[in-house]
Structure formats: C-alpha cells, structure tokens
Amino acid sequence: MVNLFKKKEEPYCLVLSGGGAKGVFHIGAWKALKELGIPVNAFMGNSIGAIIAGFLAQGNEEKLYFIGDNITVDFLLKIPNEYIENGELKLSLKHNSSIRQFYKDALFGGGLDTSPLKKILNESLDEDLIRKSGNDLGVVTFNISDLKASEVFLEHMEAGTVIDYLMASSAFPGFHHPKIKGKKYIDGGVYDNMPYRLARSRGYRKIIVIDISGMGINKRPVIEGTETIYIKNSINMGGVLDFNREFLNKFLELGYLDTMKTFGVLKGMSYFIIPDRKWENIFDEVLDDPMTLALLAPYLNIKKDSHKPMELKIRSILPQTVKYNKSEMFYNFLDCCAEILRLEKVHKYTVEEIIKLIRTEQADEDKKLIYLDEVQSRSDMRLLLKRIKLVIKKTNVRDSLKDAPYHDIKITEKILEGRTGLLIKKGLYSIYPELSGGLFFLDLLNNLPVFKIN
C-alpha cells in the first residue's frame, strides 16, 4: 500500500457528482484513495454520488465493490425481461407496441419503477450504522412539490429516512418520484450535480471532488481558501444509462487510474505509466547523445530552434500543454508514441511493457502500409488525397477516426508531394499535436541501442 501521509492528517471531505451508470468511476476512485491511505470522514453526493456516499459513510465498501462488478440495468429499474439482454436495455422494432404501453404505464404510474434499487439499499445499508460511524453525510435533491432545492445533512434526516433521501437524490427525470413527508422529490442534478458548495457550507476546507461528467447543473466551484483536489474522468465514454459490461469495467478502472495519476503515482498525458527511475536516467543520457540531435533535426524549426540548448530543442516538439514540464518529459514522449499508434488507454503500463507494445503496433502499421508501394495511378492518388482531406475536416472526432495518426502521416509522407503534400502534412500535425513527439521518439526507439528490450 502507498501511504502519502507519514503523519496523521486532517481527513478530507469527498464530493461525488451524479452520472448514473458512470458512477462506477467513483468506486474505482475510492479504491485508489484507500490504497493511497488518504483519510476521508465526510461524504457529500448527488444522485448516484449520493448513493455511493451512503455506502462509504457506513463503511460498507465491500458490498459497493460487489455491486460495481455486477450491476445491470435491472438492479435499478423494474423492466420487463424481454427488454433486457446481458444486463443492458435492448429495444428493437419488434418491441414497438409493447414499449409504447410500457412507457404509457410508467408515465401514468409516476415514472419508471425504481423498486429494485430501493431493495438493494434496504438490504445493504444500515441507517443505525451510518449514524454511529462518526462520518458526515450530505445529499442534494430537489423538492418538486415546493419547487425548491433541498440540501440535507445526516442529522437533518429524520429516523428511518436516510435511504429515502438517497432515493430522492437519485430520482432521475422519468424515474418514480420518491415521497418524504408527503413531498415529491427529483434528482438533485437539476439544481447542483456536483455538490461542492454543500461541502463548503459545512465548513470543510480539505475537499476531494470527483466529477464524472454527468448530466445536470454543474456549478463552478469556488476553491479560494481551500485545499481542493479535483479528479475528473480523462476519457469521455458511456452514458448515464449505459450498462454495457465492457464499458462499466473500463470506466471503473479509469476511476482508479485517474485518481492515481492525480496524486502523482502514475505518469503520462493520456496514458498511465508506472514511474521508473532507471528509464528516466537512460533518457537523460540519451539527451547527450549526438545521434539524438541528428534524429531530432527533421522536427525542428531551424530558424527558431537552432540556438536553443539541447533539452529545450527536444521539449519544443511536445504538445503545448506539456512542453514546459521537464520532470515528466520522458513519459510525455512515451505517451505521444502510444497516442499516434492508438494503444489501449485504460491500462496501467510499465515502461518496458509500453515500449514493447509501441514497437509491435508500429510493425503492424508498417505491414498495413505496404500497399502504398503499389499506388501509382492518378485515380489511386486522388482517393488517398480525398481520404486524408476527410480526416482533416473531422478534427472534432479525431479519436473516432478509423486509422491511427501514424498511418495517416505515413500515407502523406509517402504519396503526396509538393505544396499539396505540405499543406496536408501541416493539417495533420495541427490535428494531432502528439505527432512530432511520437515520431521522434519512435526514431529513438528504433535507432538507439539503449532502448533495446529483450
């Protein structure tokens, strides 16, 4: 176990945002916080964040882990079996008439039936244990009977209503509206999906916020005068009602990895790399190798960079957001390589593992590019040019494009010449700011013996 705290520290308040099925991210993040030995004794949440806050306030994390590993849509909603496949909501044309009736019944019945979720909470949570835990608990919901927000702390919840308030906070629009003392409630996301203000109003100054990009009102936190640590999903994926098991597993793991990176335990920009001092020292030696400068030259602006020290020349080809971060330069170059070759992101890599995968993926891409040797006709050229231009137009969906950036730049370099080729190449480098750093580091891996791995 990693323990960041050598002496007893004041515990943190944990703020958990809403986001439906994406709440598994919170579970992964909590696993990381526990592993890091970070003390937390207060839990503020909205929607799925409120439910998870209830489990954590009680200390019932093992049950929470079990739910995270096994949750399906019918854990939360009472839905006819014919609409469920492998734990997901699956609808098709054959369901048209029955779906209309199902939603009609739900509409006139006050919303989709959330009794399965309440059953889980009744079986898993013990209100007395939550109250005796010594942990603080607060939730956000919205009173639709009185049309006003309701921010409620544990001591304000009357005996026997803790689970009712958790259900009220997580009553997503279209779900059944829970009642407390005759008042109807809806998901607190319509007022404040990330209840940072709730924590501040309670007087907390050491706060960890976990933001899972859920729907609703996300108010900008005022962090002045606090020690606030902000953790957010680094990859956008899935939806609030997406119960695909592959997505849930990956998003839970992402919660763990993003939290570890936030606390400096993992390195990289988009990837998650275990720090390795041995390889950092090797890279430092590479900076003084004359071969490095020769390999770097094609990526430099001769007029601007010729008089810079070697280290600044190398850092100048990294993406703007990280080029001034000297301490993580080695990991940022690894990250650039992984990015232009489209390696899996939700994974914890050792340095040697990611280098081996980079080499393997580059070899596979080079095999795919053999067909370029046979491209000779003008019609073939036009087709390639059209495809590359399409790539450049789709800058807003770069991560969903079929081929890796490495593939696209190699097509451009091998086939397109003159002004057209230069403009296309410039466009690709604009879309993929990782290209210069990634291609340069590939040259290092392929040409310098120090990077040889058995």
Side-chain angles (χ1 to χ4, degrees):
M1 176 185 289
V2 178
N3 192 336
L4 297 182
F5 298 89
K6 303 301 181 183
K7 59 181 180 179
K8 189 174 182 180
E9 296 278 347
E10 178 189 347
Y12 281 87
C13 172
L14 184 62
V15 174
L16 304 173
S17 74
K22 299 169 76 170
V24 293
F25 186 95
H26 292 321
I27 300 175
W30 178 252
K31 285 184 176 182
L33 293 175
K34 289 285 287 184
E35 189 174 315
L36 293 168
I38 295 173
V40 180
N41 69 349
F43 304 90
M44 306 291 139
N46 174 63
S47 196
I48 187 63
I51 289 174
I52 291 175
F55 277 89
L56 297 180
Q58 179 180 316
N60 193 358
E61 56 195 36
E62 292 305 319
K63 182 65 175 181
L64 183 61
Y65 295 158
F66 174 81
I67 292 172
D69 290 337
N70 296 277
I71 192 169
T72 55
V73 68
D74 50 339
F75 265 50
L76 307 183
L77 302 171
K78 191 173 182 179
I79 295 175
N81 290 334
E82 61 185 293
Y83 306 148
I84 299 174
E85 182 180 321
N86 297 323
E88 298 178 67
L89 187 62
K90 293 289 186 182
L91 304 177
S92 63
L93 291 176
K94 69 178 182 180
H95 296 135
N96 270 353
S97 59
S98 58
I99 281 291
R100 283 196 296 270
Q101 185 60 46
F102 171 64
Y103 277 109
K104 182 179 178 181
D105 292 343
L107 178 64
F108 289 104
L112 295 175
D113 187 345
T114 55
S115 58
L117 173 59
K118 190 164 186 178
K119 182 174 184 290
I120 288 175
L121 298 186
N122 283 326
E123 292 172 347
S124 305
L125 295 179
D126 185 321
E127 181 172 320
D128 288 338
L129 290 180
I130 294 175
R131 293 187 186 276
K132 293 175 182 177
S133 68
N135 293 322
D136 198 7
L137 174 66
V139 304
V140 180
T141 182
F142 192 86
N143 183 332
I144 55 176
S145 296
D146 297 335
L147 293 179
K148 65 178 183 179
S150 184
E151 298 174 307
V152 191
F153 296 104
L154 184 59
E155 70 269 21
H156 301 138
M157 302 177 192
E158 295 184 354
T161 66
V162 169
I163 288 176
D164 292 330
Y165 275 104
L166 299 181
M167 292 293 295
S169 180
S170 56
F172 195 75
F175 289 4
H176 173 72
H177 298 150
K179 285 185 179 180
I180 304 174
K181 297 176 68 175
K183 305 290 186 179
K184 287 185 178 182
Y185 289 84
I186 195 172
D187 193 304
V190 301
Y191 170 71
D192 190 357
N193 190 52
M194 191 175 65
Y196 182 83
R197 290 198 323 168
L198 188 65
R200 289 295 305 269
S201 71
R202 192 67 156 169
Y204 292 110
R205 294 296 177 266
K206 293 187 67 173
I207 304 170
I208 298 172
V209 179
I210 305 182
D211 178 2
I212 55 175
S213 305
M215 298 169 62
I217 305 299
N218 290 285
K219 297 181 179 180
R220 183 177 180 180
V222 179
I223 65 172
E224 285 78 10
T226 72
E227 180 187 325
T228 296
I229 298 169
Y230 184 72
I231 302 167
K232 183 175 175 59
N233 55 297
S234 60
I235 303 172
N236 289 320
M237 63 173 88
V240 295
L241 292 177
D242 187 348
F243 289 90
N244 174 274
R245 190 70 252 170
E246 182 181 359
F247 155 68
L248 292 173
N249 290 342
K250 287 182 70 172
F251 212 62
L252 191 152
E253 178 68 8
L254 184 66
Y256 175 87
L257 295 172
D258 277 335
T259 302
M260 285 297 197
K261 186 186 287 186
T262 299
F263 283 91
V265 177
L266 298 174
K267 304 292 185 180
M269 296 179 293
S270 302
Y271 289 79
F272 304 93
I273 307 168
I274 301 170
D276 190 320
R277 190 59 192 161
K278 180 193 77 173
W279 281 100
E280 291 176 27
N281 291 335
I282 289 173
F283 184 70
D284 288 342
E285 294 173 6
V286 164
L287 298 184
D288 297 324
D289 191 322
M291 175 67 79
T292 300
L293 181 58
L295 294 172
L296 181 65
Y299 305 99
L300 295 176
N301 182 319
I302 301 301
K303 292 182 179 179
K304 291 183 179 180
D305 300 323
S306 59
H307 301 296
K308 290 180 180 178
M310 181 63 170
E311 180 193 304
L312 290 181
K313 288 179 180 179
I314 292 177
R315 281 162 53 188
S316 71
I317 67 172
L318 284 167
Q320 187 70 28
T321 54
V322 296
K323 67 170 55 179
Y324 301 109
N325 192 340
K326 177 182 177 181
S327 63
E328 297 202 6
M329 181 165 55
F330 170 61
Y331 302 104
N332 290 335
F333 274 112
L334 280 176
D335 201 296
C336 286
C337 278
E339 183 71 52
I340 69 171
L341 290 164
R342 292 270 176 85
L343 265 59
E344 169 61 47
K345 287 184 177 177
V346 187
H347 182 79
K348 182 167 64 174
Y349 291 98
T350 65
V351 171
E352 293 195 2
E353 179 186 12
I354 199 168
I355 287 176
K356 286 180 180 179
L357 285 171
I358 285 170
R359 284 201 167 111
T360 299
E361 195 62 31
Q362 183 188 20
D364 290 344
E365 287 292 338
D366 287 341
K367 287 179 183 177
K368 294 179 190 176
L369 290 164
I370 290 176
Y371 77 93
L372 293 177
D373 295 331
E374 301 175 2
V375 174
Q376 296 178 351
S377 70
R378 288 185 175 274
S379 60
D380 288 340
M381 295 282 193
R382 281 195 296 271
L383 286 174
L384 285 172
L385 182 59
K386 183 178 179 180
R387 200 189 76 74
I388 294 295
K389 284 183 175 179
L390 185 61
V391 167
I392 291 177
K393 285 181 181 179
K394 291 187 175 182
T395 57
N396 61 323
V397 290
R398 67 170 224 161
D399 291 331
S400 65
L401 296 172
K402 179 181 176 182
D403 294 310
Y406 178 84
H407 185 95
D408 292 329
I409 196 65
K410 288 301 175 182
I411 289 177
T412 305
E413 290 175 347
K414 198 158 188 176
I415 297 298
L416 305 175
E417 298 178 351
R419 180 173 176 78
T420 299
L422 188 63
L423 289 174
I424 295 290
K425 189 174 180 179
K426 187 175 181 179
L428 288 173
Y429 274 85
S430 175
I431 296 169
Y432 305 114
E434 305 87 357
L435 266 171
S436 291
L439 292 172
F440 163 67
F441 204 70
L442 281 174
D443 288 340
L444 293 183
L445 294 180
N446 294 328
N447 289 282
L448 297 185
V450 293
F451 287 111
K452 185 177 181 181
I453 299 175
N454 296 325

